[in-house]
Each structure stands twice: as structure tokens, then as C-alpha cells.
Amino acid sequence: MAQPLVVKKDDDLDEEEYYSPFLGIEKGAVLQEARVFHDPQLDARRCCQVITKLLYLLNQGDTFTKVEATEVFFATTKLFQSKDAGLRRMVYLMIKELSPSADEVIIVTSSLMKDMNSKTDMYRANAIRVLCRIIDSTLLTQIERYLKQAIVDKNPVVASAALVSGIYLLQTSPEVVKRWSNEVQEAVQSRAALVQFHALALLHQIRQNDRLAVSKLVTSLTRGSVRSPLAQCLLIRYTSQVIRESSMNNQGGDRPFFDFLESCLRNKAEMVILEAARAITELNGVTSRELTPAITVLQLFLSSSKPVLRFAAVRTLNKVASTHPLAVTNCNIDMESLISDQNRSIATLAITTLLKTGNESSVDRLMKQMTNFMSDIADEFKIVVVEAIRSLCLKFPLKYRSLMNFLSNILREEGGFEYKKAIVDSIIILIRDIPDAKESGLFHLCEFIEDCEFTYLSTQILHFLGNEGPKTSDPSKYIRYIYNRVILENATVRASAVSTLAKFGALVDSLKPRIFVLLRRCLFDGDDEVRDRATLYLKLLDGEATVGETEKDVNEFLFGSFDIPLVNLEASLRNYEPSEAPFDISSVSLETKSQPLAEKKTTGKKPTGPASALSGPVPIVDASYEKLLSSIPEFAGFGKLFKSSAPVELTEAETEYSVNAVKHIYDGHVVLQYNCTNTIPEQLLEEVVVFVDASEADEFSEVASKPLRSLPYDSPGQTFVAFEKPEGIPATGKFSNLLKFIVKEVDPSTGEADDDGVEDEYQLEDLEIAYADYMLKVGVSNFRNAWESMDPESERVDEYGLGVRESLAEAVGAVISILGMQPCEGTDVIPSNSRSHTCLLSGVFIGNVKVLVRLSFGISGPKEVAMKLAVRSDDPEISDKIHEIVANG
Amino acid sequence: MESCPLVKNILVLDSEGKRVAVKYYCHDWPSLSSKLAFEKSVFRKTRKTSARTEAEIVMFDSYIVVYKFIQDLRFFVTGGDDENELILASFLQGFSKAVDHLLRNKMHRRAALENLDLIFLCLDEVADGGIVLETDAKAILDKVSGDGLEGSGSLTEQKLSSALATAREHFARSIFN
């Protein structure tokens, strides 16, 4: 068999195998060949071959131009004249591939409709599927009758074809498909497995918006007439949906339909067992008693000879381990044997499950097994493992030594950026959270940057080193690593190293003279940024510069966190016009306007239910409000605008006059801005003003009102009312509003208004000013650092019962909106199954008082939510106030 | 997960990762290049594994891919990451077994290409718009051959295979000339 001239790719191949019947095939030539479709005497076999070639071209990714496609389509329609069954099948395929346009479809509909009523079952089934793919809703009504018949056809292939087409058509013509309910219901009782499956899928989709109907469907079918495994899987999915929805208004007692799910665990078909087990593990607030039978069947799957089954089981158990680690510990022995599984996906899932369920004593043994394991898996699996190790280390801080060693070992091995970043992030988090791990962790990071190919990671580590290094017992040992960067690296890393050196110089007096020497050398660097930084820091540390008058200022400058959102800074800088006045950074708004941080953190993963939805509309507080208000002389003396709320609607939708209000908060004043729109073309409004009754807002007194001269149809205008309130005090109250104006009739044809008008008024909804209006949403980049830098004396802690809530996420959302603060570090996103949650909030209260809040939530069986609230702020009185807000909210 | 189980694509590749026949049912890969990139990464990630006796599985980029290698052809079925793996596996099993039978166990890339019309018909009969139509290999074969659908004059298994073999020879001959 030796074939020396042929490169052998596989043992049982010879040179012939590299020959393809389609070798050298060309679109143009095949299109020419398609002319045989027009022959009066059709050669069925030859036509089949040409269609196959055309399909081959399309399947390989070739495309036809519009003209070519039309030509082929018309030629293909000629082939309906042939009675050859094989050719007809190819014609069906070709038509589906070409997806003809509406005006072309007409040409084939009559042929297809004829096939749909053919005596040959195969023609009927296929013609239905083709026709439903290409027709529009008007044609659909013409064939509806046949489709209804087909659904209950005694041939299962025909029935399935009609049902699947129904699922497809439901998207475009729901009103037609909904009329087939009776037939579909009949088909659910079919004895053919797949007909039952397709019928159930269609029936559910028809009823999916009607909760009661779905519930009835599930109730009747769980009593057992569904036999096909696929249909049973569907039924399990629908059942868990019903359970999820019913558990919201039904507390305590037995979970409905649980018996059904449990009985499915004893099904013959593995896919049904898996579906049921997974459904049970995903039940809201599942108890360990409910979990046990599901875990038992999954454990059996772990030792199956089929990789797919092992994978499915270990993947499900891995998820359970996140919320109920104890429930999974029984499977630990099986899991350990899976570490050596041929399939690396299975091995990775097994390892991370073990890391979640492991106890302190098993850590060392696990680490030993992992070392061999890491060398032969792909980067994406390694990242999963690194993340699991990080959470294990936070769980067992005493074991930091072996875990930190493990991380530093894998840091030295080959790997891509994402993988290395995951390791570096983990080490940094461990250093922050476990004080004992600090020195060794910093040392590992220093070793890493000596030979690090990723600029991003080098600068991240240098920045971190600058903050943590000076506070260690022997800061001097880090200088060598940092200065090596100045000598060896690219400009970005060099600049970053210069900043790090300066931080050491500022905090460690004994090192200062040596740092000066090093920084002076940097003055000769080839890069502008590096030189500029060196110059700045030299001046700064010398105490000569204007930026830092005292040592405190220097440290503030070097270490202070940069809280201004970059988007806002960019916008302000764009607006800045070069002039004598320097750009004032304190004028930049601190309000976070872009998407909340949480959004960014969850990218790459799927959104986890309602919690990840945006927290209400983002207020459009920007320079435009400030400009508008400062242009009004009456309000010019109010000082700096602290906050503008999102517009609050004061009228129902689609009323004669549409009004919403924006609350502008100043230190000693509040301005209410009413945005009015006149929606009646025959009217012109003049002298529009809002009468505000502030009798339920004691601390406010009206000082100015600015009416709107004229409000023509459909061009919005604003009227303002200003109030004085005690300086710096977060006064609250309720305002009732009455819109007053003069109406003038407008002649719609000329657009001219009558001279005489009539006074009229219009009642608006009440407007409230609450504490949240005095809170700015200002995020912090590192909550823990910020928290610790606040005076512990200002901390106030108390516990609250929030009563019965729909879900944890709903309770957390409610508290966040009462406080009006910015969730930090993505803690407003709550995993769907969790029983407890910690949420971190930050904000600035009126009077520029920084406030940080740590909320710990817990939920008990019957949805009773309890909350512990800890506040730290610049002013202990404000801490008390926050509690007051929550207590009253 | 209230939806019907869906298949996102079916791929039949050769031992070098080239397309023999593919079918995509969803818009996750809108362009030809994104499709080819997906096929390439699936091929690369599974190259070193052996999926000959039992179907194998891999998960990446939020997709679950079950696959099976038969001779020098590689079959892949992709589903979403919340899909029931065993449904995908039974689907893969039905399809690959049907193709295996069609080519009378002579499953070489060339045989597949020479019988591409039958493979296209198989692809058409196993799923519609991603919804599973049939998972039983025998039933798929019956539908492809038209057997059992034409009522009385149904062919026996043997007749069918010899008929297919003849058709194959004719087809091959005419394409090669």
C-alpha cells in the first residue's frame, strides 16, 4: 500500500480519497447546466445531479446574485412536470434554499397545493413544510383548511410536518394558528411519539401568554397520557414554569406538582430523568429533602460509560454546589475519579465542584491533584479553575499558603492574557482580604513583572504595588523590581513605574533620598509622559510645587481615589473653551450617568433574570439643566446645583395637557421645573403657571415663580416654581399642583388664535420630595478600601424586617431605590437561587457628605426578608439619617 | 427554559475540518466567515479526542456541542448552553447512524460527497427550523428513501440498498465524465 508521493493523513486513506466529485466545480458552469430543466423531455437523473451541484455550491458558502437566484427558481419550477419522486424531493430542497420572494412564490403555490393534497404521504408532508416556509398570511388563509386536516392526519410524518410548520407560522400569523387549538389538542393524544411532542410544543406556544391555560394544560397532562420522552421533557419544562409562577402567591405547604417531577426521576429514558433532576435543582428555594432524590440519580450518571451523560450530571451538580454544597458532598468520591476523565470539560467541572464542596482538610490533597491536571487543559478551563481557587481561599483563609503557592506556580507557566489576568486578579484579591498573605503575594507579583509580556498587567501590578508596598515591613526590597521596569520596559510601563516610585518616596522617609536619585535619572527618558511624571513628582516630593502645600495634600494627590466618572470629565473637557480661567475639575459632575457598573461586570455572561435590568431610567442631569437654570435671573443666586431628578409624570398618558416635573436641589433651595406639552391643536395656552400648595411641606416656602408666556400646540415649554428651605437640611414634603392658564381658540385652517381667552385650570398629580432626592449616585472603585478609610465611629448598624417579599432581588431593588444610591461592584445583581446577599452602596448626601452603605439581606422559607444595614459616612448625623430614611421607607 | 429543545446547527466535516455538509438553524452566526470560524474552532477543540464508540461533548462560548466521529467523517450538533445534553445526543445519534447506513458503512468522505443528495435529504428530514423532527435512524432512512410512505409497494430493506447503490453508481459516473 506504500504510496510515497502522497502525504498520508489517515491510515486507511489512499490517494483516491483526496479526489472529490465536485473538484473544480464552477458556479457559472453549473448555472449553464441548469438549462436542462427547460428540456421538453426531462432527464430526471441528470436534473437531480444538477440540483445537487447547486445545493453543494450554496452549502459551501457560495451565493447567487438576485438575477441568478430568480433564474434558477423559475427553471426549478419547470421540474414539477416530472413524476419522478426523487427529483421532486430535490426540487423541494431547492425551493427552500432559494427562499423566493413573494411575487415568485405565486408560481409554485398551485403545484405545492396539489402535492399537499396528493395521495402520496411523502409529497403531502414535504409540500406542507415547503409551502409554510415561503407563503405570506393571505395565502395562508387559503390553505388553512388543509393544514388543519393535516394536523390530525393518520400518517405521523404528515401530522408532524403540519405541527412544526404551525410553530413556525405562529411567529408571523398568530391569529390564524390560534384557531387550530382543537386539532392540536387532539394531536397531543396521538400515539406517535413525535406527533405528541410537536403538538405539545405548539399547544404551549399558542397558550403561553395565558397562565391559567398553561396551568390547566400541565394539570391534565401530568396525570399521565404523555409517553414520548421528548414530550415528557417539554412537560417537565412547562411544569417547572407553573411551579415558579404559583410559588409566588402560595407560601408554605407542599409544592404543587413536585410529585410529578419526582416520578419522572424513575422514567425509563435518561433524557427525561436528567430533565427532571435539573428542574428540581433549579426550583426556587429548594429544600435538601427535595434535592436528595435528584442528587441520587445524578450520582449514578457520574459513573456512566457515556461521556455525554457524565458531563450532564457533573454540570448540574456543579451548579447545585454553588448554592447547596452540603447536598453534593456525597458525590465527592465519584467526582475525584472524574478528575482523570478523558474529557477535559468533565474533568474541569469535577475539579471546580470539589473546590466548592471541599472542606479545609481536603485542600492540600486537592492541590496536589490539580498540579498535574493544569498542564493539560486549555486556557478557558484554567480560568474557571483559578476563579474556583480564589473563592476557596476566601472561604478558608488559613489555607492561603498552599493556595497562593499554587497560583504563583501557574503564574510562571505559559498562558494567554485572559488566563494570566485571572491569576493576577485573584492574587490581588487575596492580598486585600487576607493580611497574612500580603508579603508573599506581593513578592510573587514582583517576580511576575520581571518577565511579563502584557503591558496591562504590568501597569496594574505596579499601581497596586505603589499602594501596598510602602506599608510592608521592608519596602526597600521592592524598589529593585520597580526600577528594573524603568530600564527594561516600554513607555507605558515606565510611566507607571515612575508613579509607583513616587508613592514609595512619599510614604517611606528613609527611602526618599534614594528615590530622588532614581527619579532624576528618569528626567532623561525618551518619552514625554515618563519625563513629565518624573518632573511633577520630584517637585511634589520636594514640597515646592503649588499642588501640594502640605504632606497631607501630597498623599491625597498621590493616593486619593479618582471618583469623577471619566465620561463626565471627558464631556466637561470638550465643553471647556480655552480662556484665562483654568479648567476647574471640581465643576465636573460626580453623578454617574452611564450604565451602572454592574452592567459591565456581567457582560460575557447571560443576564441573570430581572435583577440585571437597569435600575430605572438614568436621570438626564447634565450641563443643559445647569445652563437653563443659571440663565434665569431669579435662580442665579442659589449657588451650585446639587442634583436634578429624573422627570416625574404628573399626568396620565394621552391627556389634553401632558406635564412632568424635574426636582432641582440646591443647598438652600429647591426649584421645581414643570415641562408642559399642549396636545390640543385647536388651543393656544397663555400665562401658564403651576399653583403649588405646600401645606404638607412645612419647611418649604415659595420664593419665586416663573410662568410660561405661551404654550402653542405640540411645542413643549417650561414653567418654574422655586422654594426656600433650611440650608443643608434634607427637608421632605408633599406638594399638590394645579395648572392654571388662559385658553384661546385657534382656527386650525389659518393657525390664528382668537383675541379673547378664557381662564381655566387643570389638576395635576402630587409631587413628593424624599430623602433620595438629596442623594447623589456616586460610585467608588474599591468599596472595601473606601469603607476602611472612613471613621469607624461614624458607623451605625441596625436590623430591619422587610416582611414578605416576592424575591430577594425585589427587596434589594426596593431598598436601593429608597436610598437613591449607586450600587458598587455589581452587587445589585443577585443570583436567582441565593438565600442571602450583600449589597454595597455609595453616594454623596447633600452638603457633600460621603456615605457608604453595606446591606446584608437574608430570606427565610416563607419569603420573609430580613436586612442588616451598616452605614459609614463623613458625618455621624447623616449615618443616623440614613437609618431614619430606611425606617420610614 | 420554557422553550422547545432547539438545535442550533448540524455539521458534517471531513478529517481535515473541511465542510462536507452543514445546516444552520439560527442567526448566531450571521456571516459565512463567522460560520467558518465556528467550524474551525469546533474542529480544533475536538481534534485530539476520540469520539468513535460513544458520542463526546464539549462546551465553549455558551454552546454545547455533541459530536461523533465515524470513519473519516465528523458529525457535530450544537445547542444552547441550557439545553438538555441528552436530547442533543439522541439527535446526533439518529442522524449519524442514518448517514452511516445510507453509505452502507463505507463511510468515507468521498462516498459521502458522491451521495451528497441523500445527505442533504437526511439533513432536511431530521430537523425543521431547529426543531427535532425525528431521532430514530430507521425512521429517518425510511423518510429519505420514501419507504413506508408510499403505501403498498414499499421496498424491502435489501431492495432499497441495492437501488440506492445503483443510483450512486450512475451519479458518480456521470459526474466524473
Side-chain angles (χ1 to χ4, degrees), chain A residues 735-751:
Chain A
F735 302 84
S736 64
N737 308 294
L738 187 66
L739 191 68
K740 289 200 166 193
F741 45 83
I742 297 169
V743 194
K744 290 187 172 172
E745 294 289 324
V746 173
D747 183 343
S749 54
T750 63

Side-chain angles (χ1 to χ4, degrees), chain A residues 401-420:
Chain A
R401 204 158 308 194
S402 57
L403 294 165
M404 188 66 99
N405 268 338
F406 180 83
L407 289 176
S408 72
N409 281 336
I410 56 175
L411 192 55
R412 277 197 284 274
E413 278 157 24
E414 285 294 300
F417 173 72
E418 292 296 332
Y419 173 43
K420 290 289 162 87

Side-chain angles (χ1 to χ4, degrees), chain B residues 13-19 39-40 43 74:
Chain B
L13 307 181
D14 70 10
S15 56
E16 289 164 41
K18 291 209 188 73
R19 271 186 185 184
E39 286 158 34
K40 200 174 156 193
F43 180 76
R74 309 190 164 197

